[in-house]
Amino acid sequence: MSLDPLDVPIARDPELCTKLRARLRADDFVGFVVPHSDANQSEYLPPSAERLARLTGFGGSAGLAIVMQDEAAIFVDGRYTLQVRDEVDATVFAPQPIATVKPEEWLRTRLKPGDRLAYDPWLHTPGQLEPYAQVCADTQSHLVAVAENPIDALWPDRPAPPSSPLVVLDTPFAPLTSKAKRALVGADLQKAGVDAAVISAGDSIAWLFNIRANDVPFTPLVLAYALINADGTAKLFIDDARVDAATRAHLGPDVEIVASDRLSDVLDALGRDKKAVRIATRATPAWIVERVTKAGARILPGDDPCQLPKAKKTPAEIDGIKRAHKRDGAALVRFLAWLSVEGPKGGVTELSAAAKLDGQRAANEHFRGLSFPTISGSGPNGAIVHYRVSEQSDRALRSGELYLVDSGAQYLDGTTDVTRTVAIGKPTAEMRDRFTRVLKGHIAISSQTFPRGTRGQELDVLARRALWEAGIDYDHGTGHGVGTYLGVHEGPQGISKRGQGPELAAGMVLSNEPGYYKEGAFGIRIENLIYVRDIPAPRGAEREMLGFEPLTLAPIDRTLIDADLLTPSERAWINAYHARVFAELSALVDGETHVWLAAATAPLL
């Protein structure tokens, strides 16, 4: 069971697709696009925004459905290929791999001249709508925004929208004040000739104002909107009842609290005053962009001005993140030591293992909840990249199988995310080969130095080389950004062969998580969080250099390592890492765990 009270599964309405089609026919629409999204483009959604789950039963964190009058499809990426088969009725929604079947191309052969395709303008960004607009233009059909989401009208017991009170995040957990952050962002806007920027991302609002809330599961986002001016003053659009006197005092006189229903009036005023407005058109609801455009403001498309400074953690933030990882590592080590004894006995299940680990974390200082639902997958379930164990899918950990556990927590001083794969009993030669190849990729990323100006995309191949040499790969990115008591998946930084993120910069925190998944058999992933740091340039260097340092502290299963496949430098890396794990965690665990940790971190000979 999840520790997050907002993590409540939304039951599928098996009649909803039929009701939706009738509603669309009445409004002269041939179809409706249903993304997994809310009006802030959040990763984890409040229960009131789980429309895709209500319609299809799909519980993943990314996906999209299209309902036409005579057929429907659901589009998912490689992480959810197996999950969608288990959760969605394929006779109603045909699963489509989004990497090879784009939703707009699926529509191309189904739209006819004069057809009207509906969408909710609060749930899509202009960038997301561009492919649909193009295919509608090509087919002489029409892409039409609806004033009310038809699913909401057909969901009588829909949960209420978020209304949690704001909580101030103050020193020492927020070393940089909100006033200093607003001045920094305002100066960047002023330099770019921008009068104001519209902010819609919940993590940006939480970071900018040093506030947190309980609006979505697993992440303390504030679902609201803001307008930040070039002089550092701001408007925060939120229900007045959510802001108490202490929060008002924290925000100060330069931040005006404005009722959410006045957002349209303020956007209209930007147009009347002919303001130059920065809008992240690939992250802001199309409704907002359309409103500002019609009002007559001069839109200057660009990135959310909070995202990059938020990604570059200060030295004080990095120190806090390190402290959080020590506490988190000790909890994980206690769990792994317990698992080494209880796992082979056959009485541990995926659910009971997850509950044990979650309980270890919950006892930690500054714990505020999990950072995502614990992925607890044994045997073939470990091959499902974002597996979510349930009472129906729960299975026992069995000797001779692998167990993959991907987990993390939210602490006031940091956000954690770590994956370990362990052998229950004796592993096969194939398991050890695949595991060691994944480990080689992990080490390659962690130990690589690179010149300033390097992007994550340029490093991704390092994690895959040993796998490619064996003719295998994995269908997810190698690394994502991570926030500070914020999103476990944070942009704009990342390590992936797809997409072109920003240049990596000192202070950025990322995951390092190559993997391998054999469908129906086992899954392997080794994940540490790492941060980018300046490193001394080697003798004769002509470029300033950066490198990574691991934040995560937890043993990597030695029984799964084929030391003959490692180079001397790789062997030295794992030995040094394990020595550090023991040095930093041994004083934080009990006697029995200490004995296990000493053996688990012993040098490879």
Side-chain angles (χ1 to χ4, degrees), residues 31 52 104 144 175 177 315 374 387 421 440 471 479 497 501 513 524 534 564 579 599:
L52 186 63
E104 64 273 15
V144 183
T177 67
T374 297
Y387 173 65
T421 305
K440 288 168 72 72
K497 59 184 178 183
E513 51 180 310
I524 295 167
D534 294 306
D564 291 338

Side-chain angles (χ1 to χ4, degrees), residues 188-217:
D188 286 344
L189 296 177
Q190 193 171 51
K191 184 178 179 181
V194 175
D195 295 314
V198 177
I199 308 297
S200 62
D203 60 341
S204 290
I205 290 172
W207 175 84
L208 182 64
F209 297 110
N210 283 346
I211 52 178
R212 300 294 190 269
N214 191 33
D215 288 352
V216 303

Side-chain angles (χ1 to χ4, degrees), residues 82-83 86 350 376-387 393 395-398 400-404 431 516-524:
L82 302 181
Q83 181 177 337
D86 294 336
E350 294 168 336
S376 176
S378 68
N381 288 341
I384 303 172
V385 178
H386 277 202
Y387 173 65
S393 67
R395 69 190 299 274
L397 279 59
R398 300 168 186 167
E401 292 186 341
L402 297 185
Y403 172 63
L404 185 154
M431 292 172 179
Y516 170 73
Y517 310 92
K518 184 174 183 179
E519 184 176 348
F522 59 83
I524 295 167

Side-chain angles (χ1 to χ4, degrees), residues 215-550:
D215 288 352
V216 303
F218 308 111
T219 311
L221 300 184
V222 178
L223 298 189
Y225 299 101
L227 188 74
I228 173 74
N229 299 307
D231 62 2
T233 62
K235 290 181 171 64
L236 177 61
F237 299 90
I238 196 167
D239 182 1
D240 185 74
R242 299 181 62 185
V243 190
D244 63 14
T247 305
R248 290 178 187 275
H250 160 78
L251 294 172
D254 292 334
V255 178
E256 180 184 358
I257 304 299
V258 184
S260 299
D261 59 9
R262 285 194 54 214
L263 175 63
S264 56
D265 296 335
V266 174
L267 297 180
D268 291 344
L270 294 174
R272 286 196 303 271
D273 297 338
K274 304 302 178 186
K275 296 291 188 180
V277 183
R278 163 82 64 84
I279 295 183
T281 56
R282 295 195 174 274
T284 304
W287 187 95
I288 290 178
V289 179
E290 182 69 14
R291 187 81 183 209
V292 175
T293 301
K294 285 185 175 179
R298 183 162 59 96
I299 292 182
L300 301 176
D303 295 329
D304 178 329
C306 300
Q307 290 291 304
L308 198 55
K310 174 170 60 65
K312 299 176 182 178
K313 277 60 174 178
T314 66
E317 285 177 313
I318 292 294
D319 287 343
I321 293 168
K322 288 180 177 179
R323 289 192 292 271
H325 275 84
K326 285 188 69 171
R327 297 192 302 275
D328 197 74
L332 180 55
V333 163
R334 286 191 288 270
F335 166 76
L336 291 173
W338 168 85
L339 184 66
S340 71
V341 175
E342 299 299 326
K345 294 179 181 179
V348 178
T349 71
E350 294 168 336
L351 278 175
S352 67
K356 179 72 174 182
L357 177 54
D358 295 349
Q360 291 286 344
R361 281 201 168 93
N364 273 338
E365 184 183 18
H366 302 318
F367 176 84
R368 288 298 181 270
L370 302 181
S371 54
F372 58 96
T374 297
I375 298 171
S376 176
S378 68
N381 288 341
I384 303 172
V385 178
H386 277 202
Y387 173 65
R388 180 77 182 268
V389 61
S390 66
E391 291 184 0
Q392 292 72 36
S393 67
D394 189 27
R395 69 190 299 274
L397 279 59
R398 300 168 186 167
S399 184
E401 292 186 341
L402 297 185
Y403 172 63
L404 185 154
V405 58
D406 186 347
S407 61
Q410 295 284 5
Y411 302 99
L412 288 173
D413 47 1
T415 300
T416 67
D417 180 6
V418 49
T419 307
R420 287 296 181 264
T421 305
V422 298
I424 306 299
K426 184 177 180 180
T428 67
E430 180 190 30
M431 292 172 179
R432 297 183 74 233
D433 176 89
R434 290 342 192 201
F435 184 91
T436 308
R437 291 180 185 278
V438 171
L439 176 61
K440 288 168 72 72
H442 180 95
I443 294 172
I445 293 291
S446 194
S447 59
Q448 184 64 47
T449 60
F450 48 92
R452 288 185 182 275
T454 300
R455 302 175 190 271
Q457 186 182 35
E458 299 169 64
L459 302 179
D460 181 83
V461 65
L462 300 174
R464 302 177 191 270
R465 178 178 175 179
L467 295 167
W468 287 358
E469 288 173 347
I472 54 179
D473 201 356
Y474 52 94
D475 292 328
H476 57 74
T478 297
H480 54 80
V482 179
T484 305
Y485 187 35
L486 268 176
V488 73
H489 296 133
E490 175 184 271
Q493 73 276 25
I495 303 173
S496 174
K497 59 184 178 183
R498 301 183 182 92
Q500 184 80 339
E503 297 175 358
L504 297 177
M508 287 182 172
V509 176
L510 304 101
S511 67
N512 173 15
E513 51 180 310
Y516 170 73
Y517 310 92
K518 184 174 183 179
E519 184 176 348
F522 59 83
I524 295 167
R525 189 160 62 251
I526 304 171
E527 177 186 18
N528 282 354
L529 297 193
I530 54 180
Y531 77 95
V532 183
R533 63 183 181 91
D534 294 306
I535 64 167
R539 176 185 289 275
E542 299 178 357
R543 305 285 179 91
E544 293 182 330
M545 301 296 290
L546 299 170
F548 295 118
E549 180 175 319

